[in-house]
Amino acid sequence: QIQLVQSGPELKKPGESVKISCKASGYTFTDYAMHWVKQAPGKGLKWMGWINTYTGKPTYADDFKGRFVFSLEASASTANLQISNLKNEDTATYFCARDYVYYGFDVMDAWGQGASVTVSS
Amino acid sequence: DIQMTQSPASLSASLEEIVTITCQASQDIGNWLAWYQQKPGKSPQLLIYGATSLADGVPSRFSGSRSGTQYSLKISRLQVEDIGIYYCLQAYSARTFGSGTKLEIK
């Protein structure tokens, strides 16, 4: 079955960097793009962008340009999210989600369990 | 950028009651609208795609509709397992989530 398994919780200080991984299984990794979604504590879902897993080209939402980098380890069927120069407001759960064309419509059909990042001095 | 205005922010309803949640798009997005349910501490789950189509395995008490740029999710007979937060998501241009509706049992 399709699974997206994310890395564990992280506790970081402001100014540090963090890398979150999302390992896919149960399908051909390079056939489907991967989205990243942020959920701050008690808040809603916010789309961060996506990465074409075939070409490696990332696309970032406006609020996530600069300190955020999407990357791939295609041989390991893994997508990564790196956040540099961490700020308190980066404290959140970060989800990866597979893009799937469901009867002609793009959806996010499979989600990772979420990776918690806490930024605190 | 496309904005999605979701209402209400929270909703308390009785079991077996009909519940309706709406999302208003800031421009035409056609049927590029999905609905998700998120239970506490869990990842979102797809309910509706293409504005009106039920995702595989989703109970038939869930339905989606569209009127122009307004989209609605209806739960025809509310069950205990339906509690959670519901989000709309537009996929016409980039992606935008609605702000969410927290559904509780009265």
Side-chain angles (χ1 to χ4, degrees):
Chain A
Q1 77 281 22
I2 295 160
Q3 274 195 305
L4 300 177
V5 179
Q6 297 185 239
S7 47
E10 301 269 7
L11 175 60
K12 296 289 185 181
K13 291 181 167 48
E16 293 184 337
S17 295
V18 69
K19 190 174 185 178
I20 298 164
S21 66
C22 171
K23 183 170 177 58
S25 62
Y27 70 97
T28 301
F29 180 71
T30 51
D31 282 353
Y32 303 94
M34 193 72 76
H35 296 272
W36 288 95
V37 175
K38 176 183 179 181
Q39 187 168 39
K43 302 296 185 183
L45 303 170
K46 189 165 188 177
W47 182 70
M48 301 175 67
W50 64 284
I51 185 165
N52 183 316
T53 54
Y54 185 75
T55 65
K57 180 186 175 186
T59 300
Y60 301 97
D62 287 344
D63 287 348
F64 297 97
K65 291 178 180 175
R67 298 186 297 113
F68 300 83
V69 175
F70 306 149
S71 64
L72 303 174
E73 296 170 49
S75 60
S77 299
T78 298
N80 300 306
L81 165 64
Q82 184 159 350
I83 310 172
S84 59
N85 189 21
L86 282 162
K87 304 178 186 305
N88 290 334
E89 54 264 38
D90 295 325
T91 294
T93 296
Y94 293 87
F95 294 98
C96 58
R98 187 181 79 155
D99 186 89
Y100 187 76
V101 179
Y102 204 67
Y103 297 99
F105 292 96
D106 276 302
V107 296
M108 298 177 198
D109 74 323
W111 293 65
Q113 82 276 20
S116 171
V117 174
T118 302
V119 183
S120 175
S121 54
Chain B
D1 291 5
I2 297 173
Q3 309 302 317
M4 301 300 297
T5 303
Q6 187 171 342
S7 62
S10 63
L11 181 53
S12 181
S14 301
L15 292 176
E16 302 291 323
E17 191 174 329
I18 296 173
V19 168
T20 302
I21 298 166
T22 64
C23 269
Q24 178 71 48
S26 60
Q27 65 181 74
D28 181 22
I29 60 169
N31 284 338
W32 292 88
L33 191 285
W35 289 96
Y36 290 83
Q37 176 195 60
Q38 186 179 30
K39 296 189 177 183
K42 299 295 186 181
S43 306
Q45 298 292 313
L46 178 66
L47 298 173
I48 300 287
Y49 66 93
T52 61
S53 298
L54 200 65
D56 292 344
V58 176
S60 58
R61 63 180 179 276
F62 291 90
S63 64
S65 63
R66 171 193 173 191
S67 176
T69 56
Q70 181 165 291
Y71 301 81
S72 297
L73 172 71
K74 186 172 85 170
I75 308 173
S76 60
R77 294 172 59 188
L78 186 64
Q79 304 296 304
V80 170
E81 59 266 31
D82 298 336
I83 61 169
I85 302 177
Y86 291 80
Y87 296 92
C88 62
L89 171 65
Q90 72 80 17
Y92 179 80
S93 174
R95 302 289 187 276
T96 313
F97 286 96
S99 52
T101 296
K102 186 174 183 179
L103 177 58
E104 298 174 325
I105 303 294
K106 192 182 293 181

